[in-house]
Amino acid sequence: MRTGTNRARALPIPAPAARRRFRQRLLTWYRRHGRDLPWRKTDDPYHILVSEIMLQQTQVDRVLPKYAEWLDKFPSMEALASAPEHEVTETWRPLGYNIRPRRLQSIARESVEKYGGQLPSDEATLLSFKGIGQYTAGAIRSFAFRERAAILDTNVARVLFRVYVGKGDPKAHAMKRHLWTLSETLVPARHTFDFNQALMDLGAMICVARGPKCLVCPMRQECAWLKHSS
């Protein structure tokens, strides 16, 4: 009897032609429909970090005004690192999950102390910061440094699960590992920034958790979940 891990490993990885088709359709859709968000207009690693920490478990429309306010008050790692903790926490409100601003300030202080106020670009060093996990490290590398790096947040995982798997438990550990493998396989060497942003937008705007807009989805012709549910 095969284990869950073996079953996940046995799940197919798209062939090169299918990967190219997925990328082309996704990027074409994104260029027409992608969201206009302020953190997509910068490659400042600190700004990217702030946006990613704010977006954890928080809707974009709630983050937008707070992102601008935060950067106005704490425009750099150095400014955040030296700010009084109560001021940092107060500025964060009402986003909630108040461990996040403390973690963000901790990252800023470590960055100032060890790296001259700059975030490093290599994955291992990014992961050494408390509060930066695999997704956030990939986002920083992809969005700030334009490196070929995979991401897997809730929206991306839902897209990849539906398009390439279609059935099973998307939250199982073995399945998450498989979805990471899919993300790493699909991310292109070029246009990585746009590709990863497009994946998130597709999950946030079209391939939503409830009532997905399958009729206008660029992946509807090859979506395994749609085939299984029809």
Side-chain angles (χ1 to χ4, degrees):
M1 181 177 179
R2 293 182 300 176
T3 65
T5 300
N6 288 334
R7 281 197 299 271
R9 287 176 178 167
L11 290 170
I13 297 296
R19 296 174 211 170
R20 290 192 293 271
R21 187 166 58 248
F22 181 91
R23 294 165 185 154
Q24 183 178 26
R25 288 178 179 174
L26 182 66
L27 288 170
T28 298
W29 174 86
Y30 176 71
R31 288 170 187 136
R32 294 173 181 169
H33 305 290
R35 293 174 292 182
D36 182 18
L37 300 172
W39 44 87
R40 292 181 175 173
K41 300 174 182 177
T42 180
D43 58 5
D44 186 312
Y46 170 62
H47 292 194
I48 300 297
L49 173 68
V50 170
S51 70
E52 291 299 335
I53 298 295
M54 285 188 171
L55 287 164
Q56 292 172 3
Q57 300 175 294
T58 306
Q59 295 294 322
V60 167
D61 58 352
R62 293 185 61 211
V63 168
L64 284 168
K66 186 57 65 175
Y67 173 79
E69 178 189 350
W70 182 275
L71 291 180
D72 184 61
K73 197 160 193 177
F74 311 117
S76 65
M77 287 284 198
E78 290 83 359
L80 178 57
S82 61
E85 291 183 18
H86 69 86
E87 187 176 329
V88 171
T89 303
E90 186 64 31
T91 304
W92 187 267
R93 293 176 183 165
L95 289 183
Y97 301 98
N98 287 331
I99 193 172
R100 291 184 295 169
R102 293 196 293 271
R103 284 180 176 170
L104 192 49
Q105 187 173 43
S106 175
I107 293 169
R109 286 172 172 170
E110 185 175 348
S111 173
V112 169
E113 180 182 346
K114 294 182 178 179
Y115 306 104
Q118 302 297 316
L119 275 178
S121 62
D122 67 289
E123 183 180 29
T125 307
L126 285 170
L127 289 173
S128 71
F129 286 89
K130 188 173 182 179
I132 295 183
Q134 190 175 6
Y135 163 77
T136 304
I140 292 169
R141 292 174 61 214
S142 170
F143 302 146
F145 298 107
R146 301 300 199 267
E147 294 185 1
R148 184 181 184 272
I151 60 170
L152 192 78
D153 68 354
T154 302
N155 286 326
V156 174
R158 185 168 56 252
V159 169
L160 297 183
F161 175 79
R162 285 177 173 172
V163 173
Y164 289 111
V165 183
K167 58 182 179 179
D169 182 3
K171 295 181 180 179
H173 290 301
M175 184 63 72
K176 286 183 179 179
R177 287 195 292 272
H178 178 67
L179 295 177
W180 266 111
T181 300
L182 277 173
S183 185
E184 290 164 353
T185 301
L186 290 166
V187 65
R190 298 175 59 201
H191 308 299
T192 303
F193 180 100
D194 285 350
F195 179 84
N196 282 338
Q197 297 283 5
L199 271 179
M200 293 192 294
D201 274 7
L202 190 68
M205 300 165 64
I206 302 296
C207 193
V208 293
R210 298 180 181 179
K213 303 172 184 177
C214 300
L215 290 177
V216 295
C217 179
M219 305 305 169
R220 63 188 179 277
Q221 294 178 351
E222 54 195 290
C223 178
W225 181 79
L226 192 57
K227 291 174 184 176
H228 287 305
S229 59
S230 61

